[in-house]
Amino acid sequence: MRIKLKFDENEKKFVDRVSELSGENIYSCYQCGRCSAGCPFAFEMDILPNQLIRLVQMGLKEELLGSKALFLCASCFTCQARCPKGINIASIAEAARDLIEPKGKDYFGPEEVPPELADELPQQALVSVFRKFSK
Amino acid sequence: MPDKKRKLHYYPGCTLKEKTTHLDVSTYAAMEILGYELIEPKNWTCCGAEFPLNEEKIIGLTAPIRILRQVKIEGGDKVFTVCSFCFNVLKRANEAIMSDSLKHKRINAFLKDDISIDRDSGEKTTDFKQYNGDVNVLHLLEFIRDWVGYEKIRSLIKRDLSGIKVVPYYGCRLLRPKGKMAIDEPEDPSIFEEFLENIGCEVIDFPFKQECCGSYLSLSMPDAASEASYNILRSAKLSGADMLALSCPLCYYNLDTRQDRIKENFPDSPEIPVLFFTQLLAWALGVDEEVLGLDQHYCNPRTALGIDESEVKK
Ligand code: SF4
Ligand code: SF4
């Protein structure tokens, strides 16, 4: 049975923008699952990395925004090194976050840093977490 | 007459000057013995820590390119880092402007208007040339393999490390993205093992050497990072290692500094010393214990290094 996906303009625009911003060909993913098999944070994710790509392919913004997985990607590029198509999920997740994060709200901002850790935290951890998860 | 030291640009990055000073200091100590005088690019700033994965976040490339341009202005044709994150950002930013003419044009347009004020003299500079990606960005492991040579290292070894069993930990930023970092094969690397063997350690293989430790998730999702780090430490211990060696200050934070937090979630988490590869190098080359900063570790590495605790000065 063939299922025909119908996109409205809005969804199609979203998929095109994610492709543009991430530099990845979203449609080249054929759902083999190797990314999810190797992802070190799949155990904590509500949806797996390949399912994340699927949601992007289908332009399902709300579902993406509601998924914990989008914020569990550590940009470790294991998926990219193992994907038969060389797809980089970290870039796709970053593009999706940048497009759909609620305006003006940080996912993880400076006020979330526990003050008792101030002395021990490496600058690198602070700079990178803000680069990923705040505006 | 002693050999004249060769000048070499070194970009330490921000974490090394404040938090993991033992990585910085051991790098200086080891490189001096190898015959290099390290030059830090004048007025260097943070590189941004993360390479922007969104093609339109061009502004994130200006800091790393400004650093590389400074190396060029000072007459350098290469720069090395020991921090895997800095290496990743500098190398990828360099590659980005070389492979993408629009990015090259836009970054240089930003940088053209730079005014640089010297931190020491207060002197202003506005006359900047454009930067074309012509500084070679290297990681110290790569510099040692390709420029210094293992033979040279072996000829300068002062301490015998042969009883020390070490697992090399690559983490994510040294080897990946595949095709971009190109210092070794991402799925089957050997550069770290070769380095350790050549300084005299016994190298132990373990399955988690390229696995991610949790990176910045230790702030935003601490439990996930603890579990990832626990898996790595446990695997290292089960493999029979005395210690784990690495190059990244953030991995060090997750795998050493946070060992107490990991234990809260996983009481059976093993205590295993975590050392920077430069500390092992400096130790092998005969550098004094005090210089290595062994007191900065959560897990005391003295026994693993074969240092007799009773002889340590109080
Ligand atoms: S490994 Fe690549 S092709 Fe396979 S499911 Fe993941 S992203 Fe798609
Ligand atoms: S880059 Fe993200 S999705 Fe890919 S393996 Fe790493 S954590 Fe998982």
Side-chain angles (χ1 to χ4, degrees), chain B residues 4-300:
Chain B
K4 211 169 149 303
K5 297 241 179 282
R6 271 162 294 178
K7 291 186 190 306
L8 175 66
H9 275 94
Y10 160 56
Y11 175 72
C14 24
T15 305
L16 276 73
K17 293 296 178 188
E18 286 269 344
K19 304 289 173 180
T20 54
T21 49
H22 42 343
L23 175 52
D24 187 47
V25 173
S26 55
T27 300
Y28 267 98
M31 291 305 275
E32 184 176 355
I33 295 171
L34 296 178
Y36 293 92
E37 180 193 336
L38 302 186
I39 308 162
E40 297 180 18
K42 214 171 189 176
N43 289 347
W44 64 261
T45 60
C46 170
C47 64
E50 273 293 326
F51 180 78
L53 299 177
N54 175 333
E55 291 286 326
E56 289 181 5
K57 281 186 189 156
I58 298 238
I59 198 76
L61 300 175
T62 51
I65 296 300
R66 193 179 273 127
I67 293 161
L68 295 173
R69 183 188 59 180
Q70 185 60 30
V71 173
K72 180 83 188 167
I73 289 171
E74 292 171 15
D77 60 357
K78 58 175 116 33
V79 61
F80 84 87
T81 83
V82 284
C83 166
S84 310
F85 266 60
C86 298
F87 171 58
N88 196 285
V89 172
L90 292 179
K91 177 144 179 166
R92 293 191 68 188
N94 212 23
E95 197 262 351
I97 69 158
M98 280 197 287
S99 61
D100 184 330
S101 56
L102 187 62
K103 282 188 182 136
H104 174 264
K105 228 163 104 182
R106 290 178 70 185
I107 306 288
N108 275 300
F110 275 131
L111 298 186
K112 194 166 67 54
D113 296 330
D114 266 7
I115 300 170
S116 163
I117 302 173
D118 188 275
R119 280 182 206 145
D120 305 319
S121 63
E123 190 190 319
K124 278 187 191 168
T125 317
T126 50
D127 152 35
F128 286 118
K129 305 230 161 24
Q130 73 166 19
Y131 176 73
N132 299 322
D134 32 18
V135 169
N136 196 359
V137 179
L138 300 157
H139 188 272
L140 182 55
L141 283 173
E142 190 186 12
F143 183 75
I144 286 175
R145 179 189 65 189
D146 301 343
W147 298 78
V148 180
Y150 296 130
E151 213 167 295
K152 167 99 185 251
I153 303 256
R154 285 200 308 271
S155 73
L156 292 167
I157 297 264
K158 292 270 159 31
R159 286 195 183 99
D160 177 17
L161 309 190
S162 59
I164 309 179
K165 298 194 183 82
V166 189
V167 283
Y169 175 66
Y170 288 91
C172 54
R173 294 301 200 272
L174 259 180
L175 303 168
R176 299 189 292 260
K178 184 179 180 180
K180 299 278 184 194
M181 300 318 291
I183 76 166
D184 207 343
E185 178 50 51
E187 289 291 292
D188 186 23
S190 59
I191 183 170
F192 211 152
E193 284 86 341
E194 280 165 20
F195 164 81
L196 291 169
E197 268 162 20
N198 279 286
I199 61 167
C201 305
E202 183 181 332
V203 181
I204 309 258
D205 198 29
F206 83 126
F208 280 77
K209 63 185 177 192
Q210 299 123 268
E211 206 77 358
C212 175
C213 65
S215 191
Y216 46 79
L217 296 180
S218 52
L219 269 172
S220 55
M221 297 265 187
D223 289 344
S226 289
E227 184 158 348
S229 295
Y230 164 70
N231 289 332
I232 293 162
L233 293 171
R234 191 168 160 269
S235 162
K237 192 77 186 177
L238 286 175
S239 305
D242 299 323
M243 68 173 72
L244 183 144
L246 44 67
S247 82
C248 171
L250 186 46
C251 299
Y252 178 79
Y253 176 68
N254 287 336
L255 294 171
D256 183 272
T257 313
R258 290 185 82 256
Q259 277 194 25
D260 54 346
R261 257 65 51 84
I262 298 172
K263 269 182 177 309
E264 282 171 20
N265 292 9
F266 303 94
D268 67 326
S269 182
E271 298 228 328
I272 181 162
V274 175
L275 271 93
F276 288 114
F277 74 103
T278 52
Q279 289 176 295
L280 278 169
L281 174 62
W283 181 245
L285 295 175
V287 172
D288 280 351
E289 196 216 305
E290 294 77 63
V291 181
L292 299 185
L294 300 183
D295 293 329
Q296 296 186 43
H297 297 250
Y298 171 78
C299 196
N300 186 351

Side-chain angles (χ1 to χ4, degrees), chain A residues 39-41 45 49 73-79 89-90:
Chain A
C39 172
F41 297 99
M45 290 179 177
C73 173
S75 309
C76 73
F77 311 111
T78 308
C79 49
I89 299 182

Side-chain angles (χ1 to χ4, degrees), chain A residues 29 50 59 76 89 123:
Chain A
C29 167
N50 68 300
C76 73
I89 299 182
Q123 286 87 335

Side-chain angles (χ1 to χ4, degrees), chain A:
Chain A
M1 189 180 71
R2 282 172 77 119
I3 299 173
K4 197 154 185 236
L5 294 173
K6 258 189 33 217
F7 285 102
D8 67 24
E9 258 322 289
N10 211 340
E11 284 157 352
K12 195 173 169 313
K13 237 169 63 200
F14 174 72
V15 184
D16 289 347
R17 278 297 278 158
V18 175
S19 296
E20 226 170 68
L21 295 184
S22 65
E24 301 290 314
N25 181 353
I26 315 283
Y27 294 117
S28 71
C29 167
Y30 58 175
Q31 292 292 310
C32 69
R34 284 192 72 176
C35 48
S36 305
C39 172
F41 297 99
F43 71 90
E44 276 275 325
M45 290 179 177
D46 48 353
I47 55 164
L48 295 169
N50 68 300
Q51 293 172 316
L52 196 131
I53 302 271
R54 196 78 184 116
L55 292 183
V56 174
Q57 284 176 337
M58 294 167 67
L60 296 171
K61 279 188 263 186
E62 288 307 311
E63 285 79 352
L64 272 169
L65 187 55
S67 83
K68 196 177 164 198
L70 200 59
F71 301 93
L72 260 166
C73 173
S75 309
C76 73
F77 311 111
T78 308
C79 49
Q80 181 262 1
R82 296 187 184 164
C83 170
K85 299 283 199 171
I87 297 173
N88 191 354
I89 299 182
S91 299
I92 294 171
E94 187 149 322
R97 280 195 307 267
D98 289 351
L99 286 172
I100 61 182
E101 267 178 295
K103 289 247 172 324
K105 194 180 166 296
D106 293 337
Y107 173 75
F108 187 92
E111 65 288 343
E112 245 116 357
V113 178
E116 67 276 13
L117 296 186
D119 282 345
E120 67 164 48
L121 279 173
Q123 286 87 335
Q124 190 188 359
L126 293 162
V127 176
S128 46
V129 80
F130 297 146
R131 284 233 154 165
K132 288 298 173 192
F133 300 135
S134 46
K135 296 277 167 195

